[in-house]
Amino acid sequence: MPVLLKTTSPQDIENPYRVIPAEIYDIVQESPLIRTLKLRPDEPIVFKTGQFIELSIPGVGEGPFTPSSSHFETERMDVTIMKTGFVTNTIHQAKTGDRVGLRGPFGSHYPLDTFEGKNILILGGGCGLAPLRSLFLTLVHEIDRYNSITFFAGAKSPKDCIYKQAVDEWKQYPKVTFVRAVDEVPAGQEWHEDVGVVTVLLNKLDIDPADNPAVVCGPPVMMKFGARDLLEYGFREDRLYLSMEKKMYCGFGQCRHCVMGKYYACKDGPVFTYEQIKNEEDIWE
């Protein structure tokens, strides 16, 4: 029987509909379609890395996003957002000083207590790097608890890479191996790192998969083949963690837009083990 990960239920939150106002104090344009909002909530928001929040624009709507900052930062929060529709298009027009609303946190989180003393693999691409950045920054905050961190990050092209400003710093952290790859290098773009889909970086992996955790997040097709390759490499189904970012509109299992077989991505996830969901239909949709 798969073990369910710890979650925050509506009963754990005094009022899951309560909105905490927050000010946008800085904006980083990560790529043509992705930006990071740096938020200062009116009151601290405590979350566990992997959980998500609902971010709203007054009079426009709200959407689910996983914070991309360390969970040790409670008075500030980074949220990395891809422009994909009406709400996110509006968010991309926001300016420094604008106000947004935050609800949550909701859902499951990465079980860091089981990561202690382990060699941790993080594999992701595109805007899926947002929750992985939160995990990575949380891990390096207490790096002595872990044996090593290998972070493989992918993007379509050099201009689509996000968190460019942090890469040199991340590569200098002790016990950390950080490697990037892009699918292609169009004419006129400069790149001196690996080329190919991010899973090709698994050829560089030097981890005994027997009891070590692997964490994957990214576009569905990348997660599908990333999970397959990691299982073939030898990672265990119950040690392979997937961040299943779905349409978690309400945040706590009322709207049913994020149903995955017998699970709700919002209240049972978004962090699942592969063992939990492998038999559910259309998990990669």
Side-chain angles (χ1 to χ4, degrees):
M1 177 68 70
V3 177
L4 294 176
L5 300 175
K6 294 179 180 178
T7 65
T8 298
S9 69
Q11 292 74 28
D12 297 326
I13 303 174
E14 185 176 353
N15 179 358
Y17 294 103
R18 178 169 176 259
V19 175
I20 299 174
E23 178 187 3
I24 302 172
Y25 71 89
D26 196 9
I27 297 171
V28 178
Q29 192 67 42
E30 306 281 4
S31 75
L33 294 177
I34 299 175
R35 60 174 15 190
T36 296
L37 303 185
K38 293 183 172 292
L39 307 174
R40 187 179 293 114
D42 285 1
E43 59 186 80
I45 296 179
V46 178
F47 71 99
K48 294 290 188 183
T49 181
Q51 290 188 300
F52 70 98
I53 51 90
E54 301 282 350
L55 187 150
S56 59
I57 299 287
V60 176
E62 78 173 0
F65 304 98
T66 304
S68 53
S69 48
S70 164
H71 74 199
F72 290 105
E73 290 193 32
T74 59
E75 297 186 355
R76 296 183 301 171
M77 178 181 288
D78 293 351
V79 183
T80 302
I81 298 171
M82 174 179 279
K83 187 192 300 185
T84 58
F86 177 70
V87 173
T88 53
N89 285 344
T90 304
I91 292 173
H92 270 248
Q93 296 170 18
K95 305 180 297 298
T96 301
D98 286 352
R99 307 275 287 176
V100 298
L102 301 174
R103 285 196 298 122
F106 300 107
S108 59
H109 53 83
Y110 300 112
L112 299 189
D113 55 335
T114 70
F115 289 11
E116 288 195 34
K118 304 299 184 185
N119 298 303
I120 305 159
L121 172 65
I122 301 173
L123 177 70
C127 205
L129 293 174
L132 301 182
R133 177 183 184 249
S134 171
L135 171 64
F136 177 72
L137 294 177
T138 300
L139 292 172
V140 298
H141 185 86
E142 296 183 318
I143 191 63
D144 290 343
R145 293 177 60 188
Y146 312 103
N147 195 45
S148 71
I149 303 169
T150 301
F151 192 166
F152 291 155
K156 288 182 179 178
S157 71
K159 70 178 176 60
D160 297 308
C161 287
I162 62 176
Y163 308 134
K164 301 179 187 72
Q165 298 175 348
V167 168
D168 289 343
E169 179 184 354
W170 291 358
K171 288 182 177 179
Q172 298 304 314
Y173 284 130
K175 301 186 181 181
V176 168
T177 300
F178 181 81
V179 184
R180 296 189 299 178
V182 296
D183 296 356
E184 60 180 3
V185 183
Q189 295 187 35
E190 188 174 354
W191 186 252
H192 303 290
E193 299 175 49
D194 286 74
V195 177
V197 294
V198 67
T199 51
V200 303
L201 296 177
L202 296 177
N203 294 327
K204 299 174 180 285
L205 193 59
D206 186 22
I207 291 178
D208 178 358
D211 191 36
N212 288 309
V215 182
V216 182
C217 190
V221 66
M222 179 251 132
M223 294 185 69
K224 177 180 180 179
F225 290 103
R228 181 201 64 182
D229 291 351
L230 291 171
L231 291 168
E232 290 179 355
Y233 188 87
F235 283 92
R236 288 170 22 195
E237 293 181 351
D238 64 337
R239 299 293 274 161
L240 175 54
Y241 299 92
L242 306 170
S243 288
M244 306 302 291
E245 306 277 324
K246 302 290 185 182
K247 296 177 180 178
M248 304 172 290
Y249 292 144
C250 70
F252 48 92
Q254 298 301 305
C255 72
R256 297 181 57 84
H257 281 90
C258 65
V259 170
M260 301 169 49
K262 63 178 176 290
Y263 295 115
Y264 291 80
C266 64
K267 68 175 187 176
D268 300 313
V271 179
F272 293 94
T273 65
Y274 179 79
E275 182 184 44
Q276 279 179 271
I277 60 174
K278 65 179 180 180
N279 294 323
E280 305 301 330
E281 293 184 2
D282 303 326
I283 62 172
W284 308 119
E285 295 296 325

